């Protein structure tokens, strides 16, 4: 399927499932090499990263654990504005090597808040593994160690990512077709 329609928007294929699998395997190989002997705890941020997490973990061959969290954002009257609360993290991460598994880093604000929150729980180290980065949108100086793919600043769906709840099920990634195309 080269073109899909979700609600009012048309999308066209931009990254095939084969390309994704190749890059996910490459990232897994890097992690296997870098974090051997560290028993990393993979922290998958739902919902968007469920497919990436599944495929990444299938290629991780070192001893490790995986857990799943959700982020709830709520407004707080501080200078930092929105606060991300981490829901569902029952594991003790103190003195652990943590790998955050994210679907996409856009402005980087979500990741910055997540790092702040996790940092208060005394992990030994935190690494970021993301399927996608939009470098043109990145507003924060983040040390993103593991990136499967860098993409232009367009809205995408598929492979876990949604438009209004739909589109997460596709094994390819699709980019929105602009109105004048
Ligand atoms: P950030 O805080 O980095 O600006 O935003 C990250 C979050 O925005 C991602 O976890 C994802 O939920 C959402 N997001 C950013 N860009 C896209 C996109 O192109 N498509 C979809 N479906 N979600 C996106």
């Amino acid at each position: 399927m080269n073109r899909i329609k979700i609600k009012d928007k048309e999308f066209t294929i931009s990254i095939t499932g084969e390309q994704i699998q190749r890059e996910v395997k490459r990232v897994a190989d890097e992690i296997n090499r870098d974090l051997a002997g560290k028993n990393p705890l993979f922290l998958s941020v739902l919902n968007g990263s469920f497919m990436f997490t599944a495929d990444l973990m299938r290629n991780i061959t070192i001893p490790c654990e995986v857990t799943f969290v959700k982020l709830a954002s709520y407004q707080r009257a501080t200078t930092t504005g929105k606060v991300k609360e981490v829901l569902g993290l029952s594991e003790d991460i103190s003195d652990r090597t943590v790998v955050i598994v994210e679907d996409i880093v856009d402005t980087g604000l979500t990741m910055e808040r997540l790092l702040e929150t996790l940092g208060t729980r005394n992990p030994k180290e935190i690494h970021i593994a993301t399927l996608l980065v939009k470098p043109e949108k990145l507003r924060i100086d983040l040390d993103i160690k593991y990136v499967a793919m860098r993409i232009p600043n367009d809205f995408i769906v598929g492979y876990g990512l949604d438009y209004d709840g739909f589109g997460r099920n596709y094994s390819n990634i699709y980019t929105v077709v602009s109105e004048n195309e």
Side-chain angles (χ1 to χ4, degrees):
M1 253 189 316
N2 286 332
R3 236 171 147 92
I4 55 170
K5 187 162 197 292
I6 301 175
K7 299 199 168 177
D8 57 324
K9 292 198 193 310
E10 296 251 9
F11 295 84
T12 184
I13 194 164
S14 51
I15 310 173
T16 66
E18 287 84 41
Q19 284 174 277
I20 297 171
Q21 294 302 324
R22 218 174 21 248
E23 298 307 322
V24 170
K25 168 84 168 62
R26 175 187 52 78
V27 166
D29 289 344
E30 289 171 21
I31 293 174
N32 285 329
R33 188 197 57 211
D34 295 349
L35 304 185
K38 294 192 162 185
N39 285 334
L41 172 65
F42 290 88
L43 206 121
S44 169
V45 184
L46 295 173
N47 295 328
S49 70
F50 78 95
M51 273 207 199
F52 174 43
T53 304
D55 287 335
L56 182 73
M57 298 315 297
R58 272 190 267 260
N59 287 287
I60 295 291
T61 52
I62 58 174
C64 65
E65 289 174 79
V66 58
T67 191
F68 300 85
V69 297
K70 271 201 166 197
L71 301 183
S73 46
Y74 59 94
Q75 218 62 42
R76 201 176 59 176
T78 65
T79 44
T80 48
K82 264 198 186 152
V83 177
K84 293 277 177 192
E85 190 189 354
V86 183
L87 301 180
L89 182 59
S90 49
E91 281 79 3
D92 178 9
I93 66 165
S94 59
D95 215 28
R96 296 290 308 263
T97 294
V98 175
V99 182
I100 299 172
V101 183
E102 251 294 19
D103 53 356
I104 182 164
V105 177
D106 191 18
T107 61
L109 286 168
T110 304
M111 189 55 76
E112 186 185 47
R113 303 262 155 74
L114 181 56
L115 287 170
E116 271 170 28
T117 308
L118 294 176
T120 63
R121 299 185 185 215
N122 304 316
K124 185 196 270 173
E125 52 185 343
I126 307 180
H127 302 291
I128 301 169
T130 186
L131 176 70
L132 302 163
V133 176
K134 290 179 179 170
E136 291 159 34
K137 283 283 283 296
L138 204 54
R139 288 206 266 139
I140 314 282
D141 186 20
L142 283 176
D143 178 18
I144 309 179
K145 198 159 179 196
Y146 305 105
V147 179
M149 290 162 293
R150 290 174 175 79
I151 59 167
N153 186 16
D154 300 311
F155 186 75
I156 53 117
V157 293
Y159 197 71
L161 290 114
D162 75 307
Y163 170 48
D164 209 10
F166 288 83
R168 295 192 196 275
N169 50 302
Y170 298 108
S171 51
N172 304 312
I173 287 176
Y174 296 85
T175 299
V176 73
V177 177
S178 65
E179 323 302 335
N180 49 14
E181 247 179 74

